[in-house]
């Protein structure tokens, strides 16, 4: 299937992380609805289903997520074919634990701790990507680890977890960039994608998009618009309508601009096109941090840095409050597809395991320049 989002009827929500995978034989008839995932301000995870036309009102169902009510948070790395890849956080720090979850069959498959810890090099930054390898009919999680302080001298370490083999293995790499701390990942056309910087530059710098092919298991790189290079504190990569997106916010110069660009032809730098920008953050749009989703109507779902979720109409410049608050990093909206993936797997979740504190790695908390206040 080339673009599963086109199957959604009505006033559908086009999702921040789209499903562009070839469905394996284990997929059943899909019941398409908008699926909204968030983390409440009080750190309780909620997983809600909405009819496409009603979001953010009238959720039809709250998914029975086993992580509700426990102190370990579940950050959504990505989703594919009805399977969500979750990484476990404790008070905002990644714990080296992850899982695959299919709400349709109510199965959780724990991903074991990675082989390589990187602790001998001091504090480190892990980056994750998840997707489906159609060449082997396998779901894979890629983990890229780099030194927090010496990423210009110590080469990153890369390993892959395969659901089919149920284990981790090291992958040789020639990665010339370091993935930006807190970079989102986006799966499209076989590879995972992240925002990255050249060696020797600091946190928050965007020099390129780094891709990793889950089939060939090799890295690639793509140019980004010149106006984004080393200009913004935060840049996220996403997928919309079968194309890569870049959403940038908070200029290093202190300006509060939020801008969104689309690569209309995959892999062609000259096809980058600006969709819209919000210059200097008008008073009612200050602190916009994350692009969460698009509607077919053209309205954009945005998350503010301190947790408010709002709709913005680029044509009229009007803003609409959804009355939803949470952690801006954990807001997630996607199209839900029912499938039988993981049906034959043993449910491996236990509340005891999920509440244990494992060793955590350093995660930098993003705080924009005070000049934007």
């Amino acid at each position: 299937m080339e673009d599963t989002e086109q199957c959604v009827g009505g006033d559908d929500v086009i999702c921040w992380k789209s499903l562009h995978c070839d469905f394996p034989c284990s997929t059943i008839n899909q019941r398409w609805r908008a699926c909204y995932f968030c983390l409440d301000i009080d750190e309780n995870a909620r997983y809600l289903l909405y009819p496409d036309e009603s979001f953010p009102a009238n959720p039809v169902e709250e998914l029975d997520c086993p992580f509700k009510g426990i102190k370990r948070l579940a950050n959504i790395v990505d989703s594919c074919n009805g399977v969500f890849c979750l990484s476990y956080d404790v008070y905002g720090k990644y714990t080296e634990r992850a899982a695959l979850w299919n709400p349709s069959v109510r199965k959780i498959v724990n991903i074991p701790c990675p082989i390589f810890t990187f602790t001998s090099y001091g504090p480190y930054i892990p980056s994750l990507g998840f997707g489906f390898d159609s060449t082997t009919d396998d779901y894979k999680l890629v983990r890229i680890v780099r030194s927090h302080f010496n990423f210009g001298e110590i080469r990153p370490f890369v390993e892959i977890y395969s659901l089919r083999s149920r284990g981790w293995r090291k992958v040789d790499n020639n990665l010339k960039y370091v993935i930006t701390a807190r970079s989102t990942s986006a799966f499209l056309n076989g590879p995972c994608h992240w925002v990255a910087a050249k060696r020797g530059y600091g946190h928050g710098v965007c020099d390129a998009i780094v891709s990793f092919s889950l089939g060939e298991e090799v890295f690639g790189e793509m140019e980004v618009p010149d106006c984004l290079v080393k200009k913004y504190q935060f840049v996220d990569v996403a997928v919309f309508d079968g194309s890569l997106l870049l959403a940038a916010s908070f200029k290093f110069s202190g300006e509060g601009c939020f801008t969104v660009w689309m690569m209309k032809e995959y892999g062609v730098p000259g096809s980058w096109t600006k969709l819209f920008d919000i210059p200097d953050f008008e008073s009612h749009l200050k602190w916009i941090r994350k692009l969460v989703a698009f509607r077919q109507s053209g309205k954009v779902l945005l998350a503010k840095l301190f947790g408010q979720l709002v709709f913005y109409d680029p044509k009229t410049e009007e803003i609409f409050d959804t009355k939803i608050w949470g952690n801006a990093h954990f807001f997630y909206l996607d199209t839900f597809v029912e499938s039988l993936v993981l049906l034959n797997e043993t449910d491996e979740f236990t509340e005891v395991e999920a509440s244990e504190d494992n060793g955590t790695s350093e995660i930098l908390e993003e705080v924009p320049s005070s000049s934007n206040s």
Side-chain angles (χ1 to χ4, degrees):
M1 176 171 284
E2 294 180 353
D3 190 347
T4 61
E5 291 173 340
Q6 302 304 314
C7 297
V8 185
D11 187 18
D12 50 324
V13 177
I14 303 301
C15 305
W16 171 245
K17 295 186 179 179
S18 310
L19 305 179
H20 294 274
C21 313
D22 292 324
F23 289 118
C25 60
S26 53
T27 302
I28 60 175
N29 293 330
Q30 300 106 31
R31 184 181 177 188
W32 292 95
R33 295 177 291 182
C35 187
Y36 168 67
F37 297 82
C38 75
L39 187 70
D40 287 341
I41 202 70
D42 60 0
E43 295 190 345
N44 289 322
R46 301 190 69 191
Y47 302 80
L48 304 173
L49 288 175
Y50 291 84
D52 303 323
E53 69 279 1
S54 72
F55 179 83
N58 306 318
V60 296
E61 184 180 348
E62 181 161 1
L63 296 177
D64 186 19
C65 178
F67 300 105
K68 291 188 297 184
I70 60 177
K71 63 182 178 180
R72 187 182 301 282
L73 308 180
N75 180 40
I76 299 176
V77 178
D78 215 327
S79 65
C80 188
N81 302 343
V83 177
F84 295 89
C85 181
L86 311 175
S87 65
Y88 299 161
D89 291 359
V90 175
Y91 305 118
K93 293 185 177 181
Y94 170 56
T95 64
E96 307 289 5
R97 297 294 300 277
L100 302 181
W101 174 43
N102 185 345
S104 299
V105 296
R106 303 192 177 191
K107 291 290 182 69
I108 288 274
V109 173
N110 281 326
I111 295 176
C113 290
I115 300 171
F116 190 74
T117 63
F118 217 75
T119 53
S120 59
Y121 295 98
Y124 60 94
I125 306 287
S127 300
L128 304 176
F130 171 73
F132 178 68
D133 178 6
S134 60
T135 63
T136 59
D137 193 29
D138 195 9
Y139 293 84
K140 295 180 178 179
L141 173 66
V142 58
R143 175 178 178 262
I144 305 168
V145 181
R146 53 108 166 164
S147 171
H148 174 32
F149 295 115
N150 299 312
F151 62 86
E153 302 174 6
I154 302 172
R155 294 193 63 82
F157 182 89
V158 182
E159 57 186 334
I160 287 182
Y161 172 82
S162 162
L163 177 63
R164 182 173 290 276
S165 67
R166 301 299 291 267
W168 290 94
R169 56 185 172 79
K170 178 182 176 181
V171 176
D172 294 331
N173 73 90
N174 61 347
L175 192 55
K176 301 176 182 178
Y177 292 83
V178 292
I179 295 175
T180 304
R182 283 278 190 184
S183 173
T184 54
S185 64
F187 177 71
L188 176 67
N189 295 336
C192 298
H193 305 80
W194 303 265
V195 171
K198 293 180 180 177
R199 293 176 181 274
Y201 290 95
H203 166 66
V205 174
C206 172
D207 289 309
I209 291 176
V210 163
S211 64
F212 181 80
S213 170
L214 295 181
E216 299 176 357
E217 299 186 353
V218 294
F219 283 97
E221 56 194 63
M222 301 179 188
E223 295 180 14
V224 300
D226 290 339
C227 63
L228 302 184
V229 176
K230 298 183 179 67
K231 298 293 195 304
Y232 288 84
Q233 297 185 48
F234 310 126
V235 183
D236 292 328
V237 64
V239 174
F240 167 61
D241 201 22
S243 299
L244 286 178
L245 283 184
L246 284 174
S249 58
F250 298 104
K251 287 187 175 180
F252 284 110
S253 63
E255 298 175 69
C257 182
F258 184 87
T259 184
V260 179
W261 290 71
M262 172 185 283
M263 178 179 269
K264 292 198 170 182
E265 187 175 349
Y266 183 79
V268 179
S271 69
W272 282 113
T273 303
K274 183 168 67 174
L275 297 186
F276 71 91
D277 60 15
I278 306 173
D280 297 324
F281 282 2
E282 300 176 10
S283 59
H284 62 297
L285 287 173
K286 277 189 175 181
W287 303 106
I288 295 296
R289 170 58 189 91
K290 182 178 180 180
L291 170 65
V292 180
F294 281 86
R295 277 191 186 275
Q296 288 284 32
S297 63
K299 293 180 182 178
V300 187
L301 189 62
L302 304 172
K304 291 189 175 183
L305 185 67
F306 302 110
Q308 185 182 12
L309 194 65
V310 299
F311 272 119
Y312 173 70
D313 190 333
K315 295 180 180 179
T316 64
E317 299 184 353
E318 292 181 298
I319 190 170
F320 308 90
D321 188 1
T322 66
K323 308 298 183 183
I324 296 173
W325 287 76
N327 186 315
H329 297 302
F330 290 86
F331 280 123
Y332 183 96
L333 189 65
D334 205 342
T335 301
F336 183 70
V337 57
E338 292 181 316
S339 77
L340 297 179
V341 180
L342 306 184
L343 177 64
N344 296 324
E345 302 289 342
T346 303
D347 189 9
E348 298 176 348
F349 174 83
T350 67
E351 189 165 326
V352 173
E353 288 179 353
S355 63
E356 292 176 352
D357 285 336
N358 297 309
T360 61
S361 58
E362 184 74 14
I363 293 292
L364 296 178
E365 182 63 28
E366 300 173 321
V367 179
S369 170
S370 59
S371 60
N372 289 320
S373 58

